Amino acid sequence: MAFTLTFGGARLVTWLIQIDTRDVGDISAGGTHLHHYLWGILLLAGVAIFGLVDRSPRARTWMGIALGIALGLIVDEAALLITLDDVYWQSDGWPSIAIAVSIIGVVGTGLALTRSGAEKPRG
C-alpha cells in the first residue's frame, strides 16, 4: 500500500510541477534539481541501517512502510536511472510505469495468495 500510494503521489506532484501549479515546485540545491529517487535511496539506506539495530515486530512494520515509500520514489524515476536522461514525461519514461504496475501486480498477487488463509481458526 505504501508503495502504491507513494508512486501515485509522486506522479501527482510531478504533474502539478509540470503544469506549473502555484506553490508546487522542484527541490534544488545550488541550482541542481534533486530528483525524488534521491530521497528514496536515502530512505532505503536508513531502513537498512535501522534493520541492523532493531528487528522487533513493531519496528518491522514501520520498516515495511518506509521500504514501500522508498521503493515508490525510486521506481517512479526508474526510466531516468536506466537512460540517464530526464525522460519522465516522454515515451521513454514509460518503463517506470511498467515496472511499478508489475510490482503492484506481483506483490498484490503474492499477498492475496499467502494471506487468504491466514486468519482461519484451527479446529
Side-chain angles (χ1 to χ4, degrees):
M1 181 65 81
F3 174 87
T4 305
L5 291 175
T6 301
F7 180 81
R11 285 276 150 176
L12 175 62
V13 169
T14 53
W15 178 70
L16 292 173
I17 293 169
Q18 178 75 10
I19 64 170
D20 202 21
T21 302
R22 197 171 76 171
D23 298 330
V24 178
D26 293 330
I27 297 175
S28 299
T32 301
H33 172 71
L34 302 177
H35 290 272
H36 52 271
Y37 73 82
L38 171 68
W39 310 114
I41 291 170
L42 292 174
L43 182 57
L44 187 62
V47 169
I49 292 167
F50 188 77
L52 295 172
V53 177
D54 190 347
R55 296 183 182 173
S56 67
R58 184 173 182 200
R60 289 181 63 177
T61 299
W62 286 105
M63 287 171 32
I65 293 168
L67 177 64
I69 293 168
L71 291 177
L73 292 170
I74 294 168
V75 168
D76 186 50
E77 292 199 310
L80 168 66
L81 295 168
I82 293 167
T83 64
L84 299 179
D85 194 18
D86 195 355
V87 295
Y88 197 86
W89 295 110
Q90 300 167 15
S91 59
D92 288 344
W94 279 96
S96 297
I97 295 171
I99 292 168
V101 169
S102 298
I103 289 172
I104 293 166
V106 169
V107 172
T109 300
L111 288 173
L113 291 174
T114 59
R115 303 288 286 168
S116 61
E119 300 299 324
K120 289 182 181 175
R122 295 181 187 196

